[in-house]
Amino acid sequence: MARNIQSLERAAAMLRLLAGGERRLGLSDIASSLGLAKGTAHGILRTLQQEGFVEQDDASGRYQLGAELLRLGTTYLDVHELRARALVWTDDLARSSGESVYLGVLHQQGVLIVHHVFRPDDSRQVLEIGAMQPLHSTALGKVLSAYDPVAHSEALEAERKVFTDRTVCGVEDFEHILDLTRARGYAADVEETWEGVASIAAPIHDRRRMPVGAVGITGAVERVRPDGELRPELIAAVRDCARAVSRDLGAGRF
């Protein structure tokens, strides 16, 4: 069995103590509450402070939770609000398109799948919530890279791996794809990540008109792109779904 990392356990206990007790606590209070030597407690607090998870009051020297935790908590809530707002619309998209639907957000130089609706047939499928997809080759990733400056930077900085002979890895070609994505309002992945698989995705915006995720469908190439062209009704359905979720998040009309 893997051993727990003691310093991380102590840091987590410290954050819980600061969250559940008085607004501010001194070093002695924290050390005695957790049964730690003052030097050990101070070292952990100093590290948490450097990372923005803890702040120290200049006048009293006491500690409190930092702004970085608030930012992380807001991100967590935003993702869950996004998923909650998208539930009905993604179900509708799966029914109307007949394909699997994915909802993705930017995470660690990739796309984190936060919601997955199965293709509405009797085929065996695997739930992919929590899976990661690349930014440069998937439809979801291209949409995030086109509309989110942070995702764009991370896509350029990350290794753009070749998955198939259709994968676009060069910077100039990739930037051209992002320009095209912004111009038409959606992105496509036709066997760029997986052989025989095609995807279409569109951006989701929040009340600040900021990109917060992407929604898309994925299916066999012969269904999504028959005769060498993406089916227009699938493109329209994906874009309509993205707009509907954006409206529910307060973005208004796009």
Side-chain angles (χ1 to χ4, degrees):
M1 182 180 294
R3 296 176 60 187
N4 293 340
I5 300 174
Q6 188 180 55
S7 59
L8 291 180
E9 289 181 330
R10 289 172 171 176
M14 201 169 285
L15 292 174
R16 292 192 187 97
L17 178 65
L18 290 170
E22 299 176 14
R23 179 171 174 79
R24 294 191 180 101
L25 293 173
L27 174 60
S28 297
D29 298 325
I30 295 171
S32 62
S33 295
L34 299 178
L36 299 174
K38 281 188 179 181
T40 301
H42 184 255
I44 296 172
L45 284 166
R46 186 171 63 249
T47 301
L48 291 173
Q49 186 177 359
Q50 290 171 350
E51 296 298 326
F53 296 140
V54 165
E55 296 173 355
Q56 186 178 26
D57 181 65
D58 292 334
S60 67
R62 290 175 172 267
Y63 295 90
Q64 65 183 26
L65 294 180
E68 182 65 11
L69 275 178
L70 176 61
R71 187 190 70 80
L72 291 176
T74 301
T75 301
Y76 175 84
L77 291 174
D78 284 348
V79 168
H80 282 262
E81 181 184 7
L82 171 62
R83 184 177 181 277
R85 297 287 185 178
L87 288 176
V88 173
W89 301 111
T90 50
D91 283 349
D92 287 346
L93 178 58
R95 281 193 295 269
S96 65
S97 68
E99 302 294 350
S100 300
V101 176
Y102 294 88
L103 186 68
V105 298
L106 176 65
H107 180 68
Q108 295 180 349
Q109 294 189 325
V111 183
L112 174 66
I113 303 302
V114 297
H115 186 52
H116 174 200
V117 183
F118 283 164
R119 184 171 61 254
D121 60 21
D122 295 328
S123 62
R124 183 175 180 178
Q125 300 172 63
V126 177
L127 189 65
E128 296 186 43
I129 294 175
M132 293 291 293
Q133 294 186 3
L135 285 170
H136 70 287
S137 63
T138 62
L140 293 172
K142 292 176 191 177
V143 164
L144 293 174
S145 299
Y147 288 90
D148 185 340
V150 176
H152 178 239
S153 297
E154 293 194 353
L156 295 180
E157 292 171 3
E159 177 188 2
R160 290 180 297 281
K161 183 179 177 180
V162 176
F163 296 104
T164 73
D165 58 6
R166 293 174 178 264
T167 308
V168 174
C169 298
V171 173
E172 288 188 10
D173 291 338
F174 182 60
E175 291 285 15
H176 175 70
I177 289 174
L178 300 188
D179 288 340
L180 185 61
T181 297
R182 286 185 287 266
R184 62 190 186 182
Y186 71 91
D189 163 13
V190 181
E191 296 188 284
E192 294 176 49
T193 311
W194 302 281
E195 296 283 357
V197 176
S199 302
I200 303 168
I204 296 172
H205 297 79
D206 66 6
R207 62 184 61 86
R208 301 163 298 172
R209 298 294 183 98
M210 297 295 291
V212 293
V215 64
I217 61 166
T218 296
V221 171
E222 58 267 23
R223 295 194 305 267
V224 177
R225 192 176 181 257
D227 304 320
E229 297 292 336
L230 295 170
R231 288 166 53 193
E233 66 271 23
L234 293 182
I235 296 172
V238 170
R239 296 192 66 193
D240 286 346
C241 178
R243 291 192 193 102
V245 179
S246 297
R247 285 197 300 270
D248 277 4
L249 289 171
R253 290 185 175 274
F254 273 83

